[in-house]
Amino acid sequence: EAYDKRSTILKTFVDKYGLKVDSKYQDTLDDLVRNGNSVQEKNETDQAINNLISSAKFDRTEAEYGGYYTYTTVIENTSKINFGYVSLLLALYDANGVKVGEASASTSSWAAGEKVRFEAGTDIDAAQIKVSVSGYEVAK
């Protein structure tokens, strides 16, 4: 983590202030700047996907036979990023605000501009749902 932070700071010094080093250190600086680019790109992607799911509202439906609930939402990928696998974690809370379980919803691909239906099933009748990204990959 410290290496990544230092790399992004050095990248800023190179990009904004034209930091130069002696030729014998140039390869090391180039490696640090490359890492800084990777870290910055990952941070931007993390922020983009978290922004996409932050306003997601899941609807609950109960199965006809009772005791089983399905939570669904449709989210549009308004970012410019094509995602491969995306997995969401739904933290399920009761009326007293106590976390009583979790469920997951996923998709195998989510292109920029595409709407995807995320669905999770469980026997928990949640009063509140907090959603987070448990994993993703960027499509090549």
Side-chain angles (χ1 to χ4, degrees):
E1 187 176 321
Y3 178 78
D4 288 346
K5 285 182 181 180
R6 280 188 225 122
S7 297
T8 56
I9 291 168
L10 284 171
K11 177 189 175 326
T12 301
F13 287 157
V14 169
D15 293 347
K16 286 191 175 187
Y17 307 109
L19 175 69
K20 304 274 187 225
V21 295
D22 192 75
S23 61
K24 66 182 177 180
Y25 301 111
Q26 189 62 48
D27 287 344
T28 302
L29 181 61
D30 291 344
D31 288 344
L32 288 164
V33 169
R34 269 192 295 280
N35 185 67
N37 285 332
S38 296
V39 169
Q40 183 178 9
E41 189 175 297
K42 181 175 182 338
N43 289 342
E44 289 169 358
T45 304
D46 286 350
Q47 184 171 357
I49 196 161
N50 284 318
N51 287 344
L52 291 173
I53 64 107
S54 66
S55 60
K57 301 291 184 228
F58 281 79
D59 295 321
R60 181 189 70 206
T61 56
E62 185 175 3
E64 288 181 24
Y65 51 85
Y68 190 79
Y69 304 89
T70 303
Y71 299 93
T72 59
T73 190
V74 175
I75 308 171
E76 182 176 2
N77 182 352
T78 56
S79 77
K80 294 180 177 11
I81 302 167
N82 293 316
F83 292 101
Y85 180 78
V86 175
S87 179
L88 305 180
L89 181 65
L90 285 65
L92 308 171
Y93 293 82
D94 67 13
N96 297 319
V98 176
K99 184 176 172 182
V100 292
E102 297 175 335
S104 61
S106 64
T107 185
S108 60
S109 66
W110 193 12
E114 181 178 45
K115 291 181 182 180
V116 170
R117 177 184 166 121
F118 288 94
E119 182 174 292
T122 180
D123 61 351
I124 298 171
D125 183 10
Q128 180 185 13
I129 299 170
K130 294 181 183 176
V131 63
S132 61
V133 177
S134 61
Y136 73 87
E137 63 184 30
V138 176
K140 303 278 181 205

